[in-house]
Amino acid sequence: MTAATTVAAAGATRRVESTARTRSRRRYLAALLMLAVACSPDSEGPAAEQAVTRPGAATATSTGTKNGAASGSASVPASAPGRSDAEAGQPHVAPAGGWFDDVTAASGLLFRHDAGVSPERQLPETMGAGAALADLDDDGDVDAYLVQSGPLPAPAPGAHPDAARPTNRLFLNELPGVHTPDPAAGPRFSDATEASGAAAHDGYGMGVVVGDVDGDGSLDLYLTNYGPDALLLNDGTARFRDATRSSGLDDARWTGGAALFDADVDGDLDLFVAAYVDLDLAHPAWCGRREEGWRSYCHPDAYPGLQDRFWRNLGAAHFRDATDEAGLVTQEGQHGKGLGVLPTDVDGDLDLDLYVANDSTENRLWINVGGRFEDGTLLSGTGVNGRGETEAGMGLAAGDVDGDGDDEIFVTNFDDESNTLYRNDGEGLFTDITALSGLDAASRLPVGFGTVLSDLDADGDLDIAVTNGHIIDNIALYDDGKTHAQHALLYANDGQGRFADVSQRSGDLAAPAEVGRGLYDADLDDDGDLDLLLTTCNGPARVLANRGGPEGSGGGSVRLLGLPRACRVSATLDDGRQLVRSAGPQPSYFGQTADEVFLGLGGRPGAPRHRIERLDVQLLDGTRLAFVPARPLDGGRWRWRSEAGEVELQNPADGETMPATRTPPDPDRTDKR
Amino acid sequence: MALATGALCGSGAAGTATPVCWMPPQAAPASSPAGAVSQGSPVAQEARATWDSGQRSAALAQMEEQLAQHPDDLDTRRQVALWQLLLHRPTAALLTTDAQPEPLADLRGRALYALGRYEEALPWLDPTDQGLALARLDALEVLGRDQELADLLTVVESRLGADHAHLLSLRGRLQMRQGHHAEAVPLFERALARDPLDLAACFGLGQSLVRTGQREAGLAQLARHRQLVPLVDALDFAQRGVDLAPQHAPSLAQLSDAERALGLIERAREHAQQAFDLAGPDELVAVTLRLARLQEEDLGAPDLALATLDAGQARQADVRLLVRAGDVLLRAGRPREALKRFETALAQRPEDDALRQRCEAARAAESPP
């Protein structure tokens, strides 16, 4: 019995209960499409001019207060509930100047995204573009690769380059004394694009993922575009050549999020690419009121979704389209509109499953079963939010929010939808705990894009930052209370998986309203805390230095670099707690965070700094490695080194090493982590 | 006169004559201070007439102008704020209530709620008001304040009855969050019995069944939910379009389509008929075809469909209406009449092979072997 006949058989005479929480993200579409058909004098007139502040904050003209009730955003509780250690009740204190400082100008990372905004209002113009943080020249620090878009249409691959067209940019981190950090110096980048070869790519860029696809030890790039994607191989010195044609990769559709991950545990990186919608630039639809200044962008609902693709790495950067054999085909008419891709082991069976955030259709969770994937969406509950509603998913992050050893999934969504945090309940089941975690209300008004789920205050738990920005540049005409430029959000974890909105203390992170898209973290200045790179649509990228590190009011940290992707790290602290982290970059939106494991140790004023007494690493093949330092670790960077089957962690600063004790994999590979 | 609140009302408890609406019905004009514009004034009456004719934005503009001239008139301010909310302009409504927040507390609360400013909305959402109590419950859920939610839920259930779909769904989700999945199952089942289109209950039931070991039943329920989501989405979207422009024929037709897809045939017929009655020349053909299809296929009334097509043809001659009429006649076993329509259409489009084929089919049906 179909859904429709079921309803009819029940004799329902449903009256639509349209509470405000019904997806009003449809609101502007209702207005736009209706007005496109007939510009009726009955149609809604221009919205009143309003100054819109961050969610929960008092407006300039309307306080929303009553009887002295608080009007601002939710304040950090003086005593955060649930903390069980010595830090219970400690408020999250940011440095006087705010948690993050905008050091863009001083850093030398000067980049402005060009969306190619046109009178035709083509949908790709709204997407912005991503970036990746990775050590592309293998000198021990974190470099940045930023994706550019430019005017549409982009030139065909191999066409004579247009000197006037902006390209993707490569910025190499030139930290003075990379192993002897000078926190006051901050990150220092030099624009190395001219010498980067094919990395100066001039497609209409969407995103980038980084990984060693040819096994030569250097990090390569896969670029997603509106138009032909590209595979760029690194020669080890941050010079790239275009190897798309020889690789067998061939995708000229509109792609966005992607992931390089070892799907079949054969030691090389396979590729999954999310495809967005089928759109014809040559015949742009008119959406919005037919008056000067009112033309707007059409909603993605107006376009059909596209089949995502899975490419199996055959070795040496040769790929084959294995979408069908991997079970990742969706039926025609049921394709998602993929934006985010997150490889993560949701069921603890030592392989990487895939979570795909789709725009306006249900998200998908693909469960890896021996290299072939099964649709686990329905069972998992992660296709929709806890009220059974689809959301427009954009950015993704995963991490152990509640400290129980498995990874939760966090998705950023459109306006009138909250961002969503799915708690991993094990056995492939998840629960939407957004509201319980304190993440619901403040995220409903903004449109969330890039996000990081990282220990931004180095206190041992995972915090959340989100960059926001609408896609409709004239949204204020159509939707009362909405703006194009929006403020970022910063949430601090209380240690028990409940978050407080500390955006007002985030300094330069949330201060400006901007059309935010990508947000990526890495210790860019090598001072032991996580800094941020933020990209905007048709605007400047920003570098934000974290002042909550050891020299500020934040805690200490141990960073692990070069670990095999997707291995599971468990750090045992001196108080008996365990910090569990997955190695590998996080996608955020259309890009990648740095591939490093960050272990915050606490140590803010008044709180003890913990030490790591033991590190346990479990690889995807089941091998377990134990590292016991000569003395408990209270800081520093440690690099994974593997030679002739022997593994050790080495501190580059002083050469100290920690050899691993190896436990071979259990013959029964279905054992849980 | 009462304002139509259909789209903004929730399903009431069994036996309740008046649906519980989170938006208040338009009240009768209240007495106003001397010198102020009262709701019974010619201006207010004219604005209401404009509103009722479907020109909602124009009506609002009239009242906003009056408010600007008479800022102390509470009745006018209330009307303006209410209409702003109904036209999905919560920021404007919030500003309107700024000058007199206490007497307009209910509208202020609704505006803040609509803006997603739940923490600020709570003080203004009077739990003793049935409509506002629902919003208050929702806000508490969003804020993760489950204990307060549970306490208020008990109170509201005692007022509205424990068989209220929205309350049942809320209670079910609360049970799930507390890990009481077995207790959640019957709550969601009851909610769905009241409202089969309650997506939250549909999803919640599926999840609860899975969590209580009834995996296959749970997956079947979740599959049903998956089917429903785009259909309910489309209904929601279409309803919004009609909210903004209730006299707009294409929007009404779209709403009809969405209702039809969900099997709500009587409502679909009603809205398709309204669309037909209101359609302008550019809209008439598409709207007529929709209504005729519904009448023929869903109501099993080909004569009604034919009458609609003929009426549409009389208003706006179009070959497509002729062709459809012929198809209806052919299916109804009246090939001779069908042939007449097809031949008339063919005369207008002599090169149309599909029409020729239709003529042949009609002739063949007229002359059985």
Side-chain angles (χ1 to χ4, degrees), chain A residues 12-43:
Chain A
T13 53
R14 182 175 189 268
R15 302 183 63 167
V16 176
E17 182 171 58
S18 181
T19 66
R21 277 206 292 151
T22 305
R23 269 70 52 72
S24 321
R25 68 188 165 87
R26 305 276 187 204
R27 219 190 283 168
Y28 87 83
L29 176 58
L32 296 185
L33 288 186
M34 174 194 67
L35 294 169
V37 171
C39 183
S40 160
D42 303 337
S43 58

Short mmCIF file of all heavy atoms in Angstrom, two decimals, chain A residues 12-43:
data_model
loop_
_atom_site.label_atom_id
_atom_site.label_comp_id
_atom_site.label_asym_id
_atom_site.label_seq_id
_atom_site.Cartn_x
_atom_site.Cartn_y
_atom_site.Cartn_z
N ALA A 12 -8.34 10.27 6.39
CA ALA A 12 -7.81 11.47 7.05
C ALA A 12 -8.37 12.71 6.42
O ALA A 12 -8.55 12.80 5.22
CB ALA A 12 -6.29 11.47 6.93
N THR A 13 -8.66 13.64 7.24
CA THR A 13 -8.98 14.97 6.76
C THR A 13 -8.03 15.91 7.47
O THR A 13 -8.42 16.71 8.29
CB THR A 13 -10.44 15.33 7.09
OG1 THR A 13 -10.65 15.12 8.50
CG2 THR A 13 -11.41 14.45 6.32
N ARG A 14 -6.78 15.73 7.07
CA ARG A 14 -5.74 16.43 7.82
C ARG A 14 -5.80 17.91 7.57
O ARG A 14 -5.94 18.37 6.46
CB ARG A 14 -4.38 15.90 7.40
CG ARG A 14 -3.22 16.50 8.14
CD ARG A 14 -1.95 15.81 7.73
NE ARG A 14 -0.84 16.21 8.59
CZ ARG A 14 -0.04 17.23 8.31
NH1 ARG A 14 -0.22 17.93 7.23
NH2 ARG A 14 0.94 17.53 9.12
N ARG A 15 -5.67 18.63 8.60
CA ARG A 15 -5.48 20.06 8.48
C ARG A 15 -4.02 20.32 8.75
O ARG A 15 -3.48 19.86 9.74
CB ARG A 15 -6.39 20.79 9.47
CG ARG A 15 -7.84 20.43 9.25
CD ARG A 15 -8.75 21.17 10.17
NE ARG A 15 -8.67 22.60 9.93
CZ ARG A 15 -9.55 23.44 10.43
NH1 ARG A 15 -10.54 23.01 11.18
NH2 ARG A 15 -9.45 24.73 10.21
N VAL A 16 -3.43 20.98 7.85
CA VAL A 16 -1.99 21.17 7.95
C VAL A 16 -1.65 21.95 9.18
O VAL A 16 -2.11 23.07 9.38
CB VAL A 16 -1.45 21.91 6.70
CG1 VAL A 16 0.03 22.20 6.86
CG2 VAL A 16 -1.72 21.09 5.46
N GLU A 17 -0.87 21.32 10.02
CA GLU A 17 -0.42 22.01 11.23
C GLU A 17 0.88 22.70 10.88
O GLU A 17 1.95 22.12 10.93
CB GLU A 17 -0.22 21.02 12.36
CG GLU A 17 0.20 21.70 13.65
CD GLU A 17 0.18 20.74 14.82
OE1 GLU A 17 0.88 19.73 14.75
OE2 GLU A 17 -0.54 21.01 15.78
N SER A 18 0.72 23.93 10.50
CA SER A 18 1.89 24.64 10.03
C SER A 18 2.43 25.50 11.14
O SER A 18 2.24 26.70 11.16
CB SER A 18 1.52 25.48 8.81
OG SER A 18 2.64 26.15 8.32
N THR A 19 3.05 24.88 12.11
CA THR A 19 3.72 25.69 13.12
C THR A 19 4.93 26.35 12.48
O THR A 19 5.33 25.98 11.40
CB THR A 19 4.23 24.82 14.29
OG1 THR A 19 5.26 23.97 13.80
CG2 THR A 19 3.11 23.97 14.86
N ALA A 20 5.46 27.31 13.17
CA ALA A 20 6.60 28.01 12.60
C ALA A 20 7.75 27.07 12.31
O ALA A 20 8.60 27.34 11.50
CB ALA A 20 7.05 29.12 13.55
N ARG A 21 7.78 25.92 13.01
CA ARG A 21 8.91 25.03 12.81
C ARG A 21 8.78 24.21 11.55
O ARG A 21 9.71 23.55 11.16
CB ARG A 21 9.12 24.11 14.01
CG ARG A 21 9.91 24.78 15.11
CD ARG A 21 10.63 23.78 15.96
NE ARG A 21 9.71 22.99 16.72
CZ ARG A 21 9.95 21.74 17.09
NH1 ARG A 21 11.05 21.16 16.74
NH2 ARG A 21 9.08 21.07 17.79
N THR A 22 7.61 24.23 10.90
CA THR A 22 7.52 23.58 9.60
C THR A 22 8.52 24.25 8.68
O THR A 22 8.70 25.45 8.76
CB THR A 22 6.10 23.72 9.02
OG1 THR A 22 5.17 23.22 9.97
CG2 THR A 22 5.96 22.94 7.74
N ARG A 23 9.11 23.47 7.82
CA ARG A 23 10.28 23.97 7.12
C ARG A 23 10.01 25.27 6.39
O ARG A 23 9.54 25.28 5.27
CB ARG A 23 10.81 22.91 6.15
CG ARG A 23 11.85 22.00 6.74
CD ARG A 23 11.32 21.04 7.78
NE ARG A 23 10.18 20.28 7.32
CZ ARG A 23 10.27 19.30 6.42
NH1 ARG A 23 11.43 18.97 5.91
NH2 ARG A 23 9.19 18.64 6.04
N SER A 24 10.35 26.42 7.00
CA SER A 24 10.16 27.68 6.32
C SER A 24 11.31 27.98 5.39
O SER A 24 11.34 29.02 4.79
CB SER A 24 10.06 28.84 7.31
OG SER A 24 9.33 28.48 8.42
N ARG A 25 12.24 27.04 5.29
CA ARG A 25 13.21 27.21 4.24
C ARG A 25 12.52 27.18 2.90
O ARG A 25 13.05 27.62 1.92
CB ARG A 25 14.27 26.11 4.30
CG ARG A 25 13.78 24.72 3.97
CD ARG A 25 14.88 23.71 4.25
NE ARG A 25 14.37 22.37 4.29
CZ ARG A 25 14.25 21.60 3.21
NH1 ARG A 25 14.60 22.05 2.04
NH2 ARG A 25 13.79 20.38 3.31
N ARG A 26 11.30 26.65 2.88
CA ARG A 26 10.54 26.66 1.65
C ARG A 26 9.92 28.02 1.40
O ARG A 26 9.41 28.28 0.34
CB ARG A 26 9.39 25.65 1.73
CG ARG A 26 9.84 24.25 2.07
CD ARG A 26 10.28 23.55 0.83
NE ARG A 26 10.56 22.15 1.10
CZ ARG A 26 11.37 21.42 0.36
NH1 ARG A 26 11.98 21.95 -0.65
NH2 ARG A 26 11.57 20.15 0.65
N ARG A 27 9.96 28.86 2.42
CA ARG A 27 9.24 30.12 2.34
C ARG A 27 9.67 30.93 1.15
O ARG A 27 8.86 31.40 0.38
CB ARG A 27 9.50 30.90 3.63
CG ARG A 27 8.32 31.63 4.17
CD ARG A 27 8.70 32.55 5.28
NE ARG A 27 8.93 31.84 6.52
CZ ARG A 27 9.51 32.41 7.58
NH1 ARG A 27 9.92 33.65 7.53
NH2 ARG A 27 9.69 31.73 8.68
N TYR A 28 10.99 31.10 1.02
CA TYR A 28 11.44 31.97 -0.05
C TYR A 28 11.18 31.34 -1.38
O TYR A 28 10.90 32.00 -2.36
CB TYR A 28 12.91 32.34 0.16
CG TYR A 28 13.92 31.37 -0.41
CD1 TYR A 28 14.27 31.43 -1.74
CD2 TYR A 28 14.53 30.42 0.39
CE1 TYR A 28 15.21 30.56 -2.27
CE2 TYR A 28 15.45 29.55 -0.13
CZ TYR A 28 15.79 29.62 -1.46
OH TYR A 28 16.71 28.76 -1.97
N LEU A 29 11.23 30.00 -1.43
CA LEU A 29 10.94 29.34 -2.68
C LEU A 29 9.49 29.53 -3.06
O LEU A 29 9.16 29.79 -4.22
CB LEU A 29 11.25 27.84 -2.57
CG LEU A 29 10.89 27.01 -3.80
CD1 LEU A 29 11.61 27.52 -5.02
CD2 LEU A 29 11.20 25.56 -3.56
N ALA A 30 8.61 29.44 -2.07
CA ALA A 30 7.20 29.67 -2.35
C ALA A 30 7.01 31.05 -2.96
O ALA A 30 6.31 31.22 -3.94
CB ALA A 30 6.37 29.54 -1.07
N ALA A 31 7.67 32.02 -2.36
CA ALA A 31 7.55 33.39 -2.86
C ALA A 31 8.15 33.50 -4.25
O ALA A 31 7.54 34.05 -5.16
CB ALA A 31 8.22 34.35 -1.90
N LEU A 32 9.33 32.96 -4.42
CA LEU A 32 10.04 33.14 -5.68
C LEU A 32 9.32 32.48 -6.84
O LEU A 32 9.11 33.10 -7.87
CB LEU A 32 11.45 32.57 -5.58
CG LEU A 32 12.40 33.24 -4.59
CD1 LEU A 32 13.76 32.62 -4.70
CD2 LEU A 32 12.46 34.73 -4.79
N LEU A 33 8.95 31.22 -6.67
CA LEU A 33 8.35 30.52 -7.78
C LEU A 33 6.96 31.06 -8.07
O LEU A 33 6.57 31.19 -9.22
CB LEU A 33 8.30 29.03 -7.51
CG LEU A 33 9.66 28.33 -7.56
CD1 LEU A 33 9.48 26.83 -7.42
CD2 LEU A 33 10.40 28.64 -8.84
N MET A 34 6.23 31.37 -7.04
CA MET A 34 4.90 31.91 -7.26
C MET A 34 5.00 33.21 -8.02
O MET A 34 4.29 33.45 -8.98
CB MET A 34 4.22 32.14 -5.92
CG MET A 34 2.87 32.84 -6.07
SD MET A 34 2.25 33.48 -4.52
CE MET A 34 3.43 34.75 -4.15
N LEU A 35 5.92 34.05 -7.60
CA LEU A 35 6.03 35.36 -8.22
C LEU A 35 6.61 35.27 -9.61
O LEU A 35 6.42 36.15 -10.43
CB LEU A 35 6.89 36.27 -7.34
CG LEU A 35 6.25 36.59 -5.99
CD1 LEU A 35 7.26 37.25 -5.08
CD2 LEU A 35 5.04 37.47 -6.16
N ALA A 36 7.30 34.17 -9.88
CA ALA A 36 7.84 34.00 -11.22
C ALA A 36 6.73 33.71 -12.21
O ALA A 36 6.83 34.05 -13.37
CB ALA A 36 8.85 32.85 -11.23
N VAL A 37 5.67 33.07 -11.74
CA VAL A 37 4.58 32.72 -12.64
C VAL A 37 3.74 33.92 -12.96
O VAL A 37 3.37 34.18 -14.09
CB VAL A 37 3.71 31.61 -12.01
CG1 VAL A 37 2.46 31.37 -12.82
CG2 VAL A 37 4.52 30.33 -11.89
N ALA A 38 3.43 34.68 -11.95
CA ALA A 38 2.57 35.83 -12.17
C ALA A 38 2.89 36.87 -11.16
O ALA A 38 2.75 36.64 -9.97
CB ALA A 38 1.11 35.41 -12.08
N CYS A 39 3.33 37.98 -11.60
CA CYS A 39 3.64 39.04 -10.66
C CYS A 39 2.34 39.67 -10.27
O CYS A 39 1.78 40.51 -10.97
CB CYS A 39 4.57 40.06 -11.29
SG CYS A 39 5.06 41.35 -10.15
N SER A 40 1.82 39.21 -9.15
CA SER A 40 0.50 39.63 -8.75
C SER A 40 0.62 40.78 -7.79
O SER A 40 1.50 40.81 -6.95
CB SER A 40 -0.22 38.46 -8.08
OG SER A 40 -1.28 38.91 -7.28
N PRO A 41 -0.26 41.74 -7.89
CA PRO A 41 -0.22 42.82 -6.91
C PRO A 41 -0.52 42.33 -5.52
O PRO A 41 -0.30 43.02 -4.55
CB PRO A 41 -1.32 43.79 -7.39
CG PRO A 41 -2.19 42.97 -8.28
CD PRO A 41 -1.34 41.91 -8.86
N ASP A 42 -1.07 41.08 -5.43
CA ASP A 42 -1.36 40.53 -4.12
C ASP A 42 -0.12 39.99 -3.45
O ASP A 42 -0.15 39.62 -2.29
CB ASP A 42 -2.35 39.36 -4.25
CG ASP A 42 -3.60 39.80 -4.93
OD1 ASP A 42 -3.88 41.01 -4.89
OD2 ASP A 42 -4.27 38.96 -5.51
N SER A 43 0.94 39.84 -4.21
CA SER A 43 2.11 39.19 -3.65
C SER A 43 2.76 40.06 -2.61
O SER A 43 2.58 41.27 -2.57
CB SER A 43 3.11 38.87 -4.76
OG SER A 43 3.47 40.04 -5.43
#
